[in-house]
Amino acid sequence: MASSPASSKQVFIGPGLSRFKLVVTVIGIIAITALVLWIAIHQGASVLASTIIAILFILGFAIYLRIVAPIPFTISLEPDALVRRNKSGEDVVIPWENLTKIKEEFFPNGKRISVIAYRKVTEPGMKAKAWAVYRDDVTDLDGLAEALKQNHPDTCQWESETVHE
């Protein structure tokens, strides 16, 4: 089968949630919680039910933020496969011969928005869309797209699309 001409491993990094955003979010949640508790102390027992509900909403919001926080990952162009590894241990390995399509999306001004990798479906329940990365997800989206453009096999379709027109 056709293989990628990638002779050396190239790695692109998705850093996940930055320390700054994490610290600002934690400080904001602590400040809102302190405000709710301060109001509860000054208003007395009449706002006990409202305070409990507010604390539950804040706790639910914090849990939601934890769930949707971006996980750090790497995308590697290896000689035998395209590999996306998450810090959580979830790996998506696509042998070059199973890579069917790479799609890149652009804004009308020419700025690249995303790169999406599609693979052959080889088992039940597997989806053709392997992964998508967006401009804010990876440190060098343009570099990733150019490396994929240079290294994708001949059997892989390359598609460019302008969106949000």
Side-chain angles (χ1 to χ4, degrees), residues 20-100:
F20 175 75
K21 289 178 182 177
L22 177 64
V23 168
V24 169
T25 303
V26 168
I27 289 171
I29 289 174
I30 290 170
I32 294 294
T33 304
L35 177 65
V36 166
L37 293 175
W38 179 78
I39 291 170
I41 290 169
H42 280 66
Q43 294 298 316
S46 65
V47 294
L48 183 61
S50 300
T51 302
I52 292 170
I53 291 170
I55 296 297
L56 288 175
F57 274 119
I58 292 169
L59 180 63
F61 181 66
I63 291 169
Y64 168 76
L65 289 177
R66 178 80 173 130
I67 291 169
V68 300
I71 299 171
F73 66 90
T74 60
I75 294 176
S76 304
L77 279 67
E78 299 178 356
D80 55 342
L82 177 62
V83 181
R84 179 181 168 144
R85 289 188 174 87
N86 285 347
K87 187 178 179 183
S88 65
E90 181 185 335
D91 294 349
V92 177
V93 180
I94 310 169
W96 288 109
E97 62 268 9
N98 289 349
L99 191 64
T100 59

Side-chain angles (χ1 to χ4, degrees), residues 131-159:
W131 49 258
V133 290
Y134 299 91
R135 178 159 289 287
D136 295 340
D137 293 343
V138 68
T139 54
D140 185 14
L141 183 66
D142 295 326
L144 172 62
E146 290 305 317
L148 283 169
K149 194 177 282 189
Q150 292 174 2
N151 294 309
H152 76 283
D154 296 333
T155 58
C156 177
Q157 175 187 0
W158 189 271
E159 188 177 304

